[in-house]
Amino acid sequence: MRIAHIITRLIIGGAQENTILNCEDLIQDYGDDVLLITGPSEGPEGSLLERVRSGIHWGTSLREPVSGEKSGTVPYVIVPSMIRAIHPWKDFSAYGKIKKILREFKPDVVHTHSAKAGILGRYAARAVNVPVIVHGVHGAPFYPYQNPLVRWFYRKCEQAAARKTDGFVSVADAMTDLMVEGKVAPREKFSTIYSGMEVESFLNSGDLRAESREKLGISPDKVVIGKAARLFHLKGHEYVIEAAKEVVRSCPNAVFLFVGDGILTEPLKKKIREAGLSDYFIFTGLVRPEHIPEMFAAMDIVVHTSLREGLARVLPQGLLSGKPVVSYDIDGAREVVLDGKTGFLLPPGEIPRLAEDLIRLVNDPELRARFGQEGRKRFSKQFDHHFMTERIRSLYVELLKKKMELSGGTRR
């Protein structure tokens, strides 16, 4: 098949890693012709462009791709005007350029990701009569903590774009529920396919524990509570800092590891200093995806206090690394953090119980091991990227077959 993936930007993030792995698998495992269309990837989140830059850069004139031309590479094109913020002139320009690219590439399937690329990409694909259009729901663009008017606007945009969409891929059942409740599309249009990753690197991360802790300056007697997330709004680092006051009082051997970077780095460090907790917190700064298993290797407990996620990759990554997870019960978290089996779930924003559950795990290494082992056993297959791609490609085939039947047996 010929498949075009469209995503707003290739920053370091779960949706972006998922998309690149899907593209690589389609090329390597199935011999498909794949084109990745993206906007500029700039900002403090870091960029994954280097991972695809070894591939073919399709410039102003597209040429016929050759399957397997460079093993492990992804042909791509950057649309400079496709940016995350709403900008009518740039959005109109990006829409026109995406149409031109799709008209020349002639894909059988267009698979869009993220809000901006999801809207522009689906409209452009339908305008040039792409047979099958799929949208990936990594996290709904409308959510409870939004301004009501903004929430209404994004929901209306999604409802309109859904009429151009043949199928949706949700990273969690919770995302399907949210979209169906928002009257975006009927439930039968959605398929839940967990976001794939290179599971072996996490399953084997225990081999990196001693070296990783030494690099971070963490002594063997410390129990490390780690949070991996952008230092950004709604990621919930402030709740961890508040809970840490009680945790370190009860467990002076506990330390906290914040993995990531973002605009809230200095405000969070200030908050920690004011609480007198500077000796108990370590900031890693930006960490490349290939080094994330090392960070989980250094941890003993994973904490996840975000208020908005689809299904955060750090949850299965922590479990695959054999670590228990304490998480707020938001979106898809409950699908992997099974309360009392692989970790603890608690209401969003709850601080006393967050501290209580962390203290319990710091003091009980056997419970930590039991939760971690259960997580590894349950999720090693579901989150393998090859399994993800197999299911996504099967969906493409199914939708394409239906379109061919409706059109009398011709693909176009």
Side-chain angles (χ1 to χ4, degrees), residues 321-383:
S321 300
K323 317 298 177 180
V325 178
V326 179
S327 174
Y328 283 162
D329 187 5
I330 55 104
D331 297 332
R334 63 171 52 199
E335 296 172 40
V336 291
V337 183
L338 310 178
D339 195 38
K341 294 180 180 178
T342 63
F344 295 120
L345 276 177
L346 53 154
E350 173 69 33
I351 294 173
R353 190 178 150 195
L354 175 62
E356 178 185 327
D357 288 343
L358 291 174
I359 290 168
R360 181 179 174 187
L361 286 169
V362 169
N363 289 327
D364 194 339
E366 291 183 3
L367 183 62
R368 296 200 303 265
R370 187 164 75 247
F371 282 176
Q373 288 166 6
E374 184 67 19
R376 288 165 68 96
K377 182 173 72 175
R378 285 176 179 261
F379 300 116
S380 59
K381 179 180 179 181
Q382 287 92 323
F383 287 92

Side-chain angles (χ1 to χ4, degrees), residues 110-247:
V110 161
H111 189 158
T112 62
H113 310 264
S114 63
K116 176 63 73 69
I119 300 292
L120 298 179
R122 282 180 281 174
Y123 272 88
R126 188 57 76 217
V128 298
N129 298 315
V130 172
V132 168
I133 301 171
V134 174
H135 180 59
V137 186
H138 302 270
F142 53 91
Y143 51 91
Y145 301 95
Q146 257 173 337
N147 175 292
L149 184 60
V150 173
R151 178 178 169 84
W152 174 86
F153 174 73
Y154 282 137
R155 188 164 62 87
K156 289 298 180 184
C157 289
E158 286 297 322
Q159 288 172 344
R163 291 193 283 272
K164 315 286 184 185
T165 313
D166 299 299
F168 294 85
V169 173
S170 297
V171 297
D173 291 336
M175 291 295 93
T176 296
D177 293 341
L178 193 152
M179 297 288 272
V180 172
E181 289 163 10
K183 296 181 169 54
V184 171
R187 190 172 294 274
E188 57 267 22
K189 272 196 166 187
F190 292 84
S191 301
T192 295
I193 301 176
Y194 289 133
S195 183
M197 59 192 72
E198 294 164 313
V199 298
E200 291 299 327
S201 59
F202 294 97
L203 293 172
N204 298 325
S205 63
D207 298 340
L208 307 171
R209 180 176 173 83
E211 181 183 354
S212 179
R213 287 171 73 107
E214 184 178 355
K215 286 181 182 177
L216 293 166
I218 301 170
S219 59
D221 62 307
K222 299 296 184 183
V223 177
V224 179
I225 300 167
K227 177 172 173 59
R230 284 189 299 144
L231 306 184
F232 201 72
H233 303 290
L234 298 180
K235 293 298 184 181
H237 293 84
E238 65 273 21
Y239 302 121
V240 178
I241 295 169
E242 287 300 315
K245 297 174 184 177
E246 183 59 35
V247 173

Side-chain angles (χ1 to χ4, degrees), residues 272-333:
I272 290 167
R273 286 194 301 271
E274 290 172 348
L277 296 171
S278 296
D279 292 341
Y280 294 92
F281 278 82
I282 299 168
F283 286 72
T284 67
L286 187 66
V287 175
R288 298 288 305 175
E290 60 267 26
H291 297 299
I292 289 295
E294 299 171 30
M295 298 299 103
F296 282 103
M299 300 175 191
D300 297 287
I301 302 162
V302 176
V303 62
H304 182 66
T305 49
S306 293
L307 298 178
R308 180 206 171 204
E309 299 279 355
L311 197 165
R313 289 165 76 79
V314 298
L315 299 177
Q317 286 172 349
L319 293 169
L320 291 169
S321 300
K323 317 298 177 180
V325 178
V326 179
S327 174
Y328 283 162
D329 187 5
I330 55 104
D331 297 332

Side-chain angles (χ1 to χ4, degrees), residues 79-83 85-100 116 119-121 123-124 127:
V79 177
S81 53
M82 185 161 64
I83 60 174
I86 295 174
H87 191 296
W89 175 248
K90 288 188 176 181
D91 294 345
F92 183 75
S93 172
Y95 168 72
K97 288 178 181 176
I98 293 169
K99 275 204 306 182
K100 181 179 182 296
K116 176 63 73 69
I119 300 292
L120 298 179
Y123 272 88

Side-chain angles (χ1 to χ4, degrees), residues 46-66:
S47 172
L48 290 175
L49 265 177
E50 289 303 321
R51 176 150 180 171
V52 298
R53 273 191 174 136
S54 59
I56 311 156
H57 184 186
W58 297 54
T60 54
S61 178
L62 305 183
R63 62 179 174 78
E64 184 73 15
V66 180

